[in-house]
């Protein structure tokens, strides 16, 4: 179950690796993959929430399952990177920035 989730997230990250240059280079492809990318952002956000409840191994190779300790470890570790990665930038641009620019605001 957890390893299946991690595998799926890894595969989605790899798909992002291959599709992102195409999205940046061609507007048509960006439009075609808009909802797919929104789905990816949603899955990455779910993964972020999951990480608040996932144990980890400390420096002495002990499994840590204490929730407050897990939260502190995650916030001081990968949390900021994960949060940045799951922000739907393309949706924000499409739904907020472009309409505001076209109205002259």
């Amino acid at each position: 179950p957890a390893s299946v989730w991690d595998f799926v997230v890894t595969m989605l990250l790899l798909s992002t690796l291959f599709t992102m240059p195409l999205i940046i280079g061609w507007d048509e492809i960006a439009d075609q993959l808009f909802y797919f990318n929104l789905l990816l952002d949603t899955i990455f956000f779910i993964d972020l929430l999951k990480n608040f409840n996932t144990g980890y191994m400390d420096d002495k190779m002990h499994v840590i399952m204490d929730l407050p300790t897990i939260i502190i470890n995650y916030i001081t570790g990968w949390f900021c990177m994960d949060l940045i990665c799951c922000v739907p930038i393309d949706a924000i641009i499409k739904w907020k920035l472009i309409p505001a620019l076209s109205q002259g605001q």
Side-chain angles (χ1 to χ4, degrees):
S3 61
V4 171
W5 175 261
D6 291 339
F7 177 77
V8 168
V9 170
T10 301
M11 291 298 107
L12 293 175
L13 283 169
L14 287 174
S15 74
T16 302
L17 175 73
F18 291 107
T19 60
M20 193 55 61
L22 299 173
I23 290 168
I24 292 169
W26 290 279
D27 288 336
E28 302 82 30
I29 295 175
D31 290 339
Q32 292 171 357
L33 293 176
F34 176 77
Y35 290 105
F36 176 72
N37 283 330
L38 197 58
L39 175 66
L40 289 181
D41 293 334
T42 303
I43 292 170
F44 293 149
F45 183 74
I46 292 168
D47 188 59
L48 180 142
L49 295 176
K50 179 189 90 54
N51 287 330
F52 277 110
N53 296 292
T54 302
Y56 68 96
M57 298 194 58
D58 66 6
D59 296 337
K60 298 177 183 175
M61 302 306 287
H62 297 114
V63 177
I64 306 298
M65 295 301 291
D66 179 57
L67 190 57
T69 307
I70 292 169
I71 292 171
I72 291 169
N73 182 67
Y74 183 50
I75 288 176
T76 58
W78 285 97
F79 174 72
C80 289
M81 181 65 75
D82 288 348
L83 183 62
I84 290 168
C85 291
C86 72
V87 173
I89 299 293
D90 46 352
I92 291 170
I93 291 170
K94 184 173 185 170
W95 292 332
K96 295 291 182 187
L97 186 61
I98 291 175
L101 290 175
S102 65
Q103 295 175 0
Q105 297 178 354

